[in-house]
């Protein structure tokens, strides 16, 4: 069902690398916006899983990053850009179970090699672009109709 | 299975005060890796875990986990308990390890969360 | 109970060191955290996990665990399988979840 909104709703969050304590805060706020708009529970779940995994990747691997979202009557568009090391082999990184996370990250319950697969699985359109030494940009779209 | 029954089976202590013992828990999910909790369909599940940091609470919120039980009597920091209160997610602790906690609940009839 | 007695109940596929199926199982330890398993597991236990980090082989060897069961049929990288074969650590995969694999072993050991 299309949302009854006149103008697109936009939001933006800064994500700081290494800050595990606030991990998920951007996704939690996006969840509240979507709840207010009466978006279907399953779509909220998929959108916030995708953004939470994206947030985690910035926190684990990058110095900093930014998450932007736009909610239109028919879509949720999410874009995450980071200042990280970049991904050498995207195909390999997309493989379930493949992870380069260090042991201390695994000890905190992350780095199981399911982050990118989780993002792809939960979005209708998934695009990833990465430049070594510069960073990674991920764009995800979820259809509301 | 109700939260009250789960507390009995695990001989668990409630960490967050004033919980509704009649909450219905549909399935169990035992995990330390948080992405799995989001990968498999765990809405309305009980999460059994050995980790107790803020991202566990946020994972539960996003995945629709009803209650978290910390094994081996782990007590989370006060800020984490407060976050769980805000998100309205009851926290329990049990002295059992993850194996025994999962085993006792499975034997009592709690099914596993669905595959995908 | 022997490791091989779990094969049918957990629909196990044995990936390395079939000799280990003769091992006695004294119990199980369930965790995805290497340090937790290093600290708390006991010799003779079977380790149920979805962790497929290279160091699982070393941990199982050091702690004299009866073997490793990887849940949800997760793909185990070839280098881990080779290391496990060389160090005589039995790795099996199951389609079951961690919760259910633990539950079924628990029932069988009662």
């Amino acid at each position: 069902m299309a949302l009854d909104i006149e103008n697109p709703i936009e939001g933006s969050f800064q994500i700081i690398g290494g800050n595990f304590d606030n991990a998920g805060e951007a996704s939690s706020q996006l969840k509240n916006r979507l709840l207010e708009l009466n978006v279907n529970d399953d779509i909220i779940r998929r959108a916030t899983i995708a953004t939470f995994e994206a947030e985690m990747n910035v926190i684990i691997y990058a110095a900093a990053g930014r998450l932007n979202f736009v909610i239109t009557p028919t879509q949720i568009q999410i874009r995450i850009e980071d200042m990280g090391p970049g991904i050498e082999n995207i195909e390999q990184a997309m493989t379930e179970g493949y992870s380069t996370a260090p042991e201390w990250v695994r000890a905190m319950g992350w780095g199981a090699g399911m982050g990118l697969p989780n993002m792809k699985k939960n979005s209708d359109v998934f695009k990833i672009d990465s430049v070594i030494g510069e960073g990674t940009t991920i764009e995800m779209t979820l259809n509301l109709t | 299975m109700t939260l009250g029954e789960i507390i009995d089976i695990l001989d668990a202590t409630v960490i967050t005060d004033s919980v509704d013992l009649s909450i219905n828990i549909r399935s169990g999910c035992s995990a330390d890796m948080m992405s799995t909790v989001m990968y498999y369909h765990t809405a309305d599940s009980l999460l059994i875990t050995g980790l107790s940091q803020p991202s566990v609470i946020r994972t539960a919120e996003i995945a629709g986990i009803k209650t978290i039980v910390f094994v081996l009597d782990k007590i989370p920091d006060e800020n984490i308990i407060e976050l769980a209160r805000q998100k309205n997610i009851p926290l329990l602790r049990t002295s059992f390890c993850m194996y025994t906690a999962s085993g006792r609940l499975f034997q009592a009839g709690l099914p596993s969360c669905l595959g995908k | 109970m022997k490791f091989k007695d779990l094969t049918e109940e957990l629909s196990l596929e044995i990936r390395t060191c079939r000799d280990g199926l003769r091992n006695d199982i004294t119990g199980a330890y369930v965790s995805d955290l290497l340090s937790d398993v290093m600290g708390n597991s006991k010799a003779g236990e079977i380790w149920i996990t979805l962790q497929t980090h290279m160091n699982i082989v070393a941990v199982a060897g050091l702690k004299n665990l009866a073997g490793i069961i990887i849940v949800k049929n997760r793909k185990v990288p070839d280098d881990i399988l080779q290391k496990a074969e060389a160090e005589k650590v039995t790795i099996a995969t199951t389609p079951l979840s961690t919760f259910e694999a633990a539950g079924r072993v628990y029932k069988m050991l009662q």
Side-chain angles (χ1 to χ4, degrees):
Chain A
M1 200 180 68
L3 296 181
D4 184 19
I5 47 175
E6 271 179 39
N7 298 307
I9 296 169
E10 298 185 17
S12 179
F13 300 91
Q14 179 138 1
I15 304 161
I16 308 293
N19 187 350
F20 271 87
D21 283 0
N22 280 332
E25 189 52 40
S27 307
S28 183
Q29 290 187 33
L30 173 64
K31 181 179 179 175
N32 290 338
R33 293 308 292 273
L34 296 172
L35 279 171
E36 284 163 20
L37 295 167
N38 285 322
V39 173
N40 164 299
D41 281 352
D42 184 53
I43 293 175
I44 295 182
R45 188 182 137 86
R46 287 170 52 221
T48 52
I49 288 175
T51 55
F52 190 18
E53 289 285 12
E55 273 189 80
M56 265 345 283
N57 271 2
V58 175
I59 289 164
I60 294 169
Y61 297 105
R66 182 161 281 284
L67 186 154
N68 294 297
F69 69 82
V70 181
I71 304 165
T72 73
T74 57
Q75 285 186 327
I76 306 169
Q77 297 156 1
I78 301 153
R79 180 183 168 93
I80 303 99
E81 287 173 285
D82 73 41
M83 291 179 276
I87 300 168
E88 215 167 275
N89 182 337
I90 289 179
E91 199 185 327
Q92 193 175 35
M94 292 300 300
T95 311
E96 231 172 76
Y98 179 84
S99 174
T100 57
E103 180 50 35
W104 69 271
V105 168
R106 292 173 193 258
M108 296 185 81
W110 298 91
M114 290 167 96
L116 290 170
N118 251 348
M119 289 181 231
K120 186 166 188 222
K121 178 187 169 202
N122 287 293
S123 49
D124 293 309
V125 180
F126 175 86
K127 280 187 211 160
I128 177 165
D129 186 32
S130 190
V131 180
I132 293 292
E134 289 186 18
T136 303
T137 301
I138 292 170
E139 289 179 333
M140 297 181 282
T141 305
L142 282 89
N143 297 325
L144 295 170
T145 51
Chain B
M1 192 177 282
T2 65
L3 185 54
E5 288 173 284
I6 285 171
I7 291 169
D8 281 348
I9 292 165
L10 297 181
D11 198 11
T13 307
V14 180
I15 300 173
T16 44
D17 28 48
S18 69
V19 296
D20 176 1
L21 297 178
S22 68
I23 293 174
N24 187 37
I25 307 282
R26 275 215 313 230
S27 58
C29 172
S30 304
D32 295 315
M33 301 307 271
M34 292 301 122
S35 290
T36 4
V37 179
M38 295 190 282
Y39 190 84
Y40 302 116
H41 194 84
T42 54
D44 298 329
S45 291
L46 170 76
L47 173 61
I48 304 162
T49 187
L51 284 176
S52 58
Q53 56 219 282
S55 62
V56 177
I57 311 292
R58 292 235 167 72
T59 300
E61 178 197 11
I62 282 161
I65 291 284
K66 277 277 173 72
T67 302
I68 305 171
V69 56
F70 300 113
V71 298
L72 297 174
D73 259 338
K74 291 222 170 65
I75 305 175
D77 292 343
E78 185 53 40
N79 61 322
I80 292 160
I81 299 172
E82 184 50 38
L83 183 65
R85 278 195 198 106
Q86 283 168 25
K87 309 288 182 193
N88 208 12
I89 299 169
L91 304 182
L92 314 175
R93 67 181 161 93
T94 176
S95 58
F96 294 123
C97 62
M98 194 186 281
Y99 165 64
T100 308
S102 310
R104 288 175 79 110
L105 291 170
F106 184 75
Q107 192 164 41
L110 187 69
S112 170
C113 63
L114 292 176
K116 296 223 166 161
Chain C
M1 192 169 74
K2 305 278 187 199
F3 194 158
K4 75 167 165 28
D5 298 326
L6 301 175
T7 313
E8 205 170 312
E9 182 67 17
L10 275 73
S11 308
L12 295 182
E13 189 187 327
I14 313 303
R15 305 298 305 277
T16 62
C17 188
R18 296 196 74 90
D19 288 353
L21 292 177
R22 293 197 297 262
N23 290 349
D24 277 312
I25 292 176
T26 54
Y29 200 76
V30 180
S31 175
D32 302 324
L33 307 172
L34 300 177
S35 56
D36 179 16
V37 181
M38 277 305 291
N40 296 318
S41 67
K42 294 184 197 73
E45 288 178 336
I46 189 115
W47 177 13
I48 300 169
T49 188
L50 65 74
Q51 186 63 265
T52 52
H53 185 277
M54 180 55 115
N55 291 345
I56 59 173
V57 177
V59 170
L62 282 167
K63 297 288 290 193
N64 285 318
L65 300 179
I68 307 172
I69 295 175
I70 305 284
V71 300
K72 284 285 179 192
N73 276 340
R74 264 172 66 108
K75 190 174 175 294
V76 187
D78 288 340
D79 51 354
I80 296 181
L81 294 176
Q82 283 159 16
K83 191 174 177 206
E85 198 64 68
E87 299 194 7
K88 297 197 173 4
V89 170
T90 306
I91 296 181
T93 54
T94 175
L96 301 176
S97 68
T98 303
F99 179 81
E100 184 156 359
R104 290 193 185 197
V105 173
Y106 184 86
K107 270 179 137 172
M108 288 176 80
L109 279 171
Q110 287 299 293

